[in-house]
Amino acid sequence: DVKVTQSSRYLVKRTGEKVFLECVQDMDHENMFWYRQDPGLGLRLIYFSYDVKMKEKGDIPEGYSVSREKKERFSLILESASTNQTSMYLCASSFMRRTNEKLFFGSGTQLSVL
Amino acid sequence: DQQVKQNSPSLSVQEGRISILNCDYTNSMFDYFLWYKKYPAEGPTFLISISSIKDKNEDGRFTVFLNKSAKHLSLHIVPSQPGDSAVYFCAAAGSPGTYKYIFGTGTRLKVLA
């Protein structure tokens, strides 16, 4: 069974802290994504990666960075956490879109920044 | 600019009846559409998809209809069950070779027993 694993289900951090969110997939997918979900705003794409060491900005990259050193792992970094980054963070992965490929999501990390 | 819109934030339906969730899009380059279901504190799970070369796709109780001329798709759930209560997101993707999936804002479905 396919699996996308996010390292933490719940995180509480202080304003100004550096925060790492980790995601691992076991499906040998080329593409990996980070989304955040907020009420009334749906899922918004932060960053995505289509290959090791490759990254592309999504729709809301400000305040975030990412790292993809290995194909199976994609990390989201909040350099200096702020209260407006309190959100549900969702990692997803997919095969390269040659035909119709779907996204597989992890269980999410609920981050609270105090 | 919201390219994928779900204009109904919530919907309540009686158990056994049909649930119809709607989604509109603006970009005619989208060629693949997906529906996801999300329970609280869990990640979205894939439900059903449709390619732009089709106008209907069916999987058990779930059917997705695509009207390309109206740039509209809908998800029908028949019969609705209490376990279907969740937030439903539609998503759209462009041509193969592009990487972005654009999600709508979601519709919260409540199925009443």
Side-chain angles (χ1 to χ4, degrees):
Chain A
D1 207 10
V2 298
K3 202 154 188 182
V4 179
T5 303
Q6 293 185 232
S7 53
S8 305
R9 292 297 300 270
Y10 301 95
L11 272 180
V12 180
K13 296 292 180 181
R14 297 280 180 195
T15 302
E17 278 193 77
K18 191 168 185 175
V19 182
F20 292 86
L21 301 182
E22 306 285 346
C23 176
V24 176
Q25 51 94 4
D26 65 359
M27 296 165 282
D28 202 33
H29 284 166
E30 294 92 352
N31 299 335
M32 296 189 75
F33 305 80
W34 276 106
Y35 289 87
R36 62 178 280 179
Q37 183 205 354
D38 300 288
L41 297 176
L43 276 66
R44 293 181 293 165
L45 181 64
I46 305 171
Y47 266 98
F48 65 100
S49 168
Y50 52 89
D51 201 353
V52 175
K53 297 192 185 295
M54 304 303 288
K55 60 185 179 185
E56 292 282 345
K57 292 180 180 179
D59 299 316
I60 51 164
E62 297 78 17
Y64 304 94
S65 62
V66 290
S67 172
R68 192 162 181 205
E69 297 295 319
K70 292 184 178 182
K71 188 176 185 181
E72 67 270 18
R73 187 180 295 270
F74 193 36
S75 303
L76 180 70
I77 303 152
L78 286 67
E79 295 290 342
S80 177
S82 63
T83 54
N84 63 11
Q85 292 178 310
T86 291
S87 186
M88 166 70 88
Y89 289 87
L90 294 159
C91 176
S93 68
S94 74
F95 284 114
M96 187 71 70
R97 263 204 87 208
R98 298 178 188 90
T99 55
N100 294 324
E101 300 291 349
K102 59 186 183 234
L103 291 177
F104 293 86
F105 282 90
S107 299
T109 297
Q110 181 63 54
L111 173 67
S112 296
V113 182
L114 306 177
Chain B
D1 182 30
Q2 193 75 22
Q3 295 187 67
V4 179
K5 299 178 186 178
Q6 294 176 258
N7 291 317
S8 298
S10 64
L11 175 69
S12 290
V13 171
Q14 285 294 131
E15 182 179 6
R17 300 285 188 134
I18 183 170
S19 295
I20 301 176
L21 295 92
N22 294 304
C23 181
D24 297 293
Y25 61 96
T26 57
N27 190 339
S28 58
M29 296 301 292
F30 290 145
D31 69 346
Y32 182 52
F33 304 89
L34 310 91
W35 284 94
Y36 282 83
K37 179 169 76 172
K38 186 181 184 300
Y39 294 117
E42 293 185 14
T45 54
F46 172 76
L47 203 54
I48 193 169
S49 64
I50 189 166
S51 164
S52 60
I53 61 173
K54 294 185 173 183
D55 54 17
K56 177 182 173 181
N57 189 27
E58 199 169 349
D59 184 2
R61 296 186 298 116
F62 303 91
T63 303
V64 56
F65 295 92
L66 176 62
N67 182 333
K68 288 186 289 294
S69 61
K71 295 191 181 69
H72 176 83
L73 64 155
S74 61
L75 174 69
H76 293 210
I77 306 173
V78 183
S80 301
Q81 299 173 353
D84 295 330
S85 297
V87 177
Y88 290 78
F89 292 98
C90 67
S95 304
T98 64
Y99 307 106
K100 287 180 69 172
Y101 296 74
I102 308 298
F103 282 81
T105 52
T107 296
R108 182 177 301 277
L109 173 66
K110 188 170 184 179
V111 180
L112 306 168

